[in-house]
């Protein structure tokens, strides 16, 4: 009786004759018997770590009012899924969440005066959580179905599909981070925002308004996402030397994705999202009314829908760019 594989058929000398080892104890085959056990242990450890991390973060976010109860539950599901599949995806999500939450709380008093939808701590619900991480979660699950727990580098020669999917995750979080940074920091600056479609000066809080500081913040936010992905990849992914060096291009690519996502969001905000000035509340609002004077945009999409469309477009563009670059 022999044990063989296709590789063994090509190399007859590798065929193992089991009859020679009938007298041996099973423990002689240490490598063969321990491999499935080790793999099973690994497959149990990573999801367990993921659940622990997600539980801590979700509970902390709820206590600090970064998320409401529904947002915390949705965040737990999304974050545990990311970390269970790949530590790098989880880290990217974590960087987006932490930096965005911190910046949301910067200058709260000033934002309270300007923002009609201001919430203490920038509290997000389950809809906002899913709109900001749902697409990436789906992409991560698809990658897991294809590669298992193996951490892949961006390499179209190895797999164009996996490269496109990973690129989509990068584009997704670069866009989300870029939009949040530009919005949260841009509104605090002294510069007068200008509508992106005609560059006319408008009030702070107007959808589709941009500032130089906001656009720079979006670029930096994307670069932070790319840097996080690359640095962790040096420890978790195994690639040849040239492929590893090429991964450094992720950083400028993510920076461009952050800027691109912010610009797309602003274009949509200026055209298909309503902005008007309420004379009663003395604030820019997102819905028309008898006391509201229109500034820009049609009342077609709300803020969540605009975010979703901009994320989807940036995800697709970054996926295509990764196939071409890598």
């Amino acid at each position: 009786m022999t044990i063989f594989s296709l590789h063994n058929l090509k190399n007859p000398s590798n065929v193992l004759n089991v009859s020679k080892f009938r007298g041996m104890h099973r423990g002689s085959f240490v490598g063969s018997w321990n491999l499935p056990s080790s793999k099973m242990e690994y497959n149990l450890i990573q999801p367990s770590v993921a659940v622990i991390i997600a539980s801590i973060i979700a509970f902390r976010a709820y206590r600090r009012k970064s998320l409401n109860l529904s947002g915390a539950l949705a965040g737990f599901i999304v974050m545990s899924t990311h970390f269970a599949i790949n530590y790098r995806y989880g880290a990217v999500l974590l960087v987006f969440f932490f930096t965005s939450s911190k910046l949301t709380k910067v200058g709260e008093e000033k934002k309270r005066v300007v923002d009609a939808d201001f919430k203490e701590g920038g509290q997000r619900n389950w809809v906002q959580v899913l709109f900001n991480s749902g697409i990436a979660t789906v992409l991560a699950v698809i990658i897991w179905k294809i590669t298992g727990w193996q951490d892949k580098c961006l390499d179209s020669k190895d797999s164009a599909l996996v490269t496109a999917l990973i690129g989509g995750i990068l584009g997704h979080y670069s866009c989300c981070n870029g939009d949040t940074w530009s919005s949260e920091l841009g509104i605090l600056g002294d510069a007068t925002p200008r509508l992106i479609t005609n560059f006319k000066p408008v009030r702070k809080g107007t959808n589709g308004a941009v500032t130089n500081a906001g656009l720079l913040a979006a670029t930096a936010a994307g670069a932070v996402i790319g840097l996080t992905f690359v640095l962790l990849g040096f420890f978790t992914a195994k690639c040849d030397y040239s492929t590893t060096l090429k991964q450094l291009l992720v950083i400028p690519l993510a920076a461009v994705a952050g800027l691109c996502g912010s610009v797309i969001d602003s274009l949509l905000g200026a055209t298909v999202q309503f902005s008007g000035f309420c004379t009663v509340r003395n604030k820019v609002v997102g819905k028309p009314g008898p006391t509201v004077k229109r500034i820009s945009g049609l009342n077609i999409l709300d803020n969540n829908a605009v975010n979703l469309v901009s994320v989807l477009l940036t995800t697709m563009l970054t996926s295509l760019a990764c196939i071409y670059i890598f």
Side-chain angles (χ1 to χ4, degrees):
M1 174 183 174
T2 58
I3 298 175
F4 61 92
S5 64
L6 292 178
H7 175 71
N8 288 333
L9 291 176
K10 294 178 182 178
N11 302 276
S13 61
N14 290 334
V15 177
L16 178 65
N17 191 325
V18 178
S19 59
K20 294 180 180 179
F21 300 94
R22 281 176 181 168
M24 286 189 175
H25 189 270
R26 270 188 170 180
S28 302
F29 297 92
V30 174
S32 299
W33 286 104
N34 287 343
L35 181 59
S37 176
S38 299
K39 187 175 181 181
M40 185 177 295
E41 288 174 6
Y42 176 79
N43 291 350
L44 288 175
I45 290 172
Q46 187 161 334
S48 299
V49 171
V51 169
I52 293 170
I53 294 174
S55 299
I56 294 172
I57 300 301
F59 180 72
R60 180 178 179 273
Y62 177 69
R63 286 195 62 184
R64 298 197 173 191
K65 296 184 178 180
S66 296
L67 299 171
N68 65 13
L69 181 59
S70 68
L73 292 173
F76 167 78
I77 294 171
V78 167
M79 190 166 293
S80 58
T81 301
H82 276 64
F83 272 106
I85 291 172
N86 189 304
Y87 288 127
R88 274 207 288 182
Y89 306 157
V92 166
L93 171 57
L94 210 55
V95 167
F96 160 58
F97 176 71
F98 273 140
T99 59
S100 298
S101 297
K102 289 293 184 183
L103 290 179
T104 298
K105 295 178 181 180
V106 173
E108 283 192 332
E109 291 305 315
K110 192 171 184 177
K111 292 173 183 175
R112 192 192 303 272
V113 176
V114 177
D115 190 357
D117 298 319
F118 176 83
K119 292 180 182 179
E120 191 71 33
Q123 204 170 51
R124 267 82 170 177
N125 58 29
W126 70 271
V127 175
Q128 292 166 308
V129 170
L130 292 184
F131 274 40
N132 281 287
S133 57
I135 294 174
T137 303
V138 172
L139 295 179
V141 171
I142 295 173
I143 293 173
W144 173 71
K145 293 292 289 184
I146 297 172
T147 66
W149 274 274
Q150 186 178 3
D151 195 354
K152 290 280 189 177
C153 290
L154 289 158
D155 185 6
S156 293
K157 293 179 181 178
D158 180 40
S159 174
L161 176 58
V162 172
T163 297
L165 292 170
I166 296 174
I169 294 175
L170 288 169
H172 181 289
Y173 286 118
S174 295
C175 175
C176 292
N177 214 34
D179 177 49
T180 304
W181 282 35
S182 63
S183 299
E184 298 297 340
L185 294 178
I187 201 171
L188 297 176
D190 296 326
T192 301
R194 294 179 178 273
L195 202 63
I196 195 170
T197 50
N198 55 23
F199 297 107
K200 290 182 178 180
V202 290
R203 293 177 181 273
K204 288 185 177 182
T206 301
N207 296 310
V210 297
T211 62
N212 290 334
L215 294 175
L216 285 173
T219 305
V224 167
I225 294 296
L227 182 62
T228 302
F229 186 82
V230 171
L231 288 179
L232 262 71
F234 288 146
F235 301 98
T236 62
K238 295 181 180 179
C239 310
D240 59 65
Y241 182 72
S242 61
T243 304
T244 300
L245 282 182
K246 205 170 184 181
Q247 303 305 295
L248 293 173
L249 294 175
V250 166
I251 300 172
L253 176 62
V256 172
L259 175 62
C260 181
S262 181
V263 169
I264 292 173
D265 188 275
S266 297
L267 286 170
L268 291 171
T271 54
V272 295
Q273 185 180 5
F274 179 86
S275 289
F277 182 74
C278 179
T279 54
V280 175
R281 301 177 64 185
N282 201 33
K283 290 181 179 181
V284 174
V285 296
K287 293 182 180 179
T291 61
V292 177
K293 182 179 179 181
R294 180 180 175 275
I295 298 174
S296 63
L298 302 175
N299 190 27
I300 298 175
L301 301 179
D302 64 7
N303 193 59
N304 288 331
V306 167
N307 289 342
L308 180 63
V309 174
S310 61
V311 165
L312 181 60
L313 291 175
T314 307
T315 297
M316 293 170 61
L317 290 172
T318 312
S319 292
L320 294 173
C322 282
I323 294 175
Y324 178 77
I325 294 172
F326 299 100

